[in-house]
Amino acid sequence: MSRLIFLGVPGAGKGTQAALLAESQGIPHISTGDILRAAVKNQTPLGVQAKGFMDAGNLVPDSLVIDLIRERLQEPDALKGWILDGFPRNVPQAGFLEQLLQEINQSCDRTVNLDVADEVVVKRLVERGLASGRSDDTEDTIRHRLQVYREQTEPLIAFYRDRGALVTVNGDQPMDAVTTALKAAIAV
Ligand code: AP5
């Protein structure tokens, strides 16, 4: 059983690796980005509120994602483990998660930081944007997402390092090499 948090710049490969690992471990991959994109697509009240923030490459307000995570982590399939991808995204969200896990008698086993240089992820995401039309995968918005990451999300590396749970994996390798390195890092 694993309870893992994935950190890393936009495009580091969090979603790709989290999906593979979750499938191999039979636990849910919980991506706040995927949940929000589905809400935008279905024009739910959550999606309507989130769309403008996402298109601009900004974080959506904490209140929108906190309730969603509180409910999702208490669904039956998440009792045996989970991988969080894209949450927490700032120090207040990490504080909320710590408190929630205490309340529901769970703890996070590891926080994985997927390390990839900015110029590598800009190239990956521009290519994805051209292929998929994802609205925040344009070069200006990608660079803004990187700036938001530096200001709001990167402090979580120190937050989780202080708690002794951080492992860093080189995400700038072929996908299967990243998967192998990741599995080795979380087995320690
Ligand atoms: P979110 O969906 O979390 O996006 P992100 O972190 O900005 O970036 P990605 O998910 O696109 O990157 P990834 O690291 O998962 O990489 P991936 O595997 O996809 O968030 C989107 C928006 O939602 C935010 O901007 C915000 O508005 C909102 N949001 C979400 N969570 C929130 C929260 N908690 N609080 C507030 N707002 C929130 O891979 C990227 C590309 O690279 C793919 O094309 C993939 O095929 C390719 N790739 C992956 N690995 C490799 C490799 N090893 N080599 C070559 N290519 C690779």
Side-chain angles (χ1 to χ4, degrees):
M1 171 164 72
S2 294
R3 297 192 183 104
L4 303 169
I5 294 169
F6 276 30
L7 293 178
V9 288
K14 303 180 294 295
T16 304
Q17 297 297 332
L20 289 168
L21 195 62
E23 191 177 348
S24 76
Q25 298 207 354
I27 55 176
H29 164 210
I30 302 173
S31 158
T32 42
D34 286 351
I35 295 169
L36 290 167
R37 273 184 294 280
V40 169
K41 192 172 169 210
N42 295 323
Q43 299 183 354
T44 68
L46 171 67
V48 170
Q49 290 181 77
K51 186 177 182 342
F53 296 99
M54 295 175 76
D55 284 348
N58 289 318
L59 298 185
V60 307
D62 291 346
S63 57
L64 296 187
V65 282
I66 276 176
D67 286 346
L68 183 161
I69 289 292
R70 186 193 304 282
E71 284 170 25
R72 185 66 188 88
L73 287 189
Q74 294 182 79
E75 282 176 28
D77 67 335
L79 296 178
K80 55 183 178 165
W82 36 256
I83 300 179
L84 281 180
D85 159 18
F87 188 95
R89 207 56 164 249
N90 56 26
V91 173
Q93 290 182 15
F96 156 80
L97 180 64
E98 214 167 43
Q99 202 181 336
L100 173 67
L101 293 179
Q102 250 178 26
E103 278 168 34
I104 62 177
N105 283 319
Q106 293 189 8
S107 58
C108 170
D109 302 317
R110 290 271 188 286
T111 300
V112 178
N113 175 33
L114 274 183
D115 190 28
V116 184
D118 286 7
E119 290 313 312
V120 174
V121 296
V122 170
K123 186 166 176 290
R124 283 183 189 175
L125 295 181
V126 166
E127 278 169 13
R128 182 175 68 183
L130 292 172
S132 71
R134 188 170 140 175
S135 57
D136 58 350
D137 279 345
T138 59
E139 183 161 353
D140 285 352
T141 309
I142 294 162
R143 292 197 185 277
H144 182 66
R145 285 158 64 196
L146 284 166
Q147 191 186 336
V148 169
Y149 169 84
R150 290 269 119 67
E151 290 168 5
Q152 302 199 45
T153 311
E154 199 171 53
L156 296 184
I157 293 177
F159 181 98
Y160 286 110
R161 186 182 292 126
D162 287 350
R163 281 153 180 77
L166 185 81
V167 293
T168 295
V169 171
N170 175 11
D172 188 10
Q173 314 178 64
M175 287 184 199
D176 55 351
V178 178
T179 308
T180 303
L182 180 57
K183 286 184 172 169
I186 61 170
V188 176

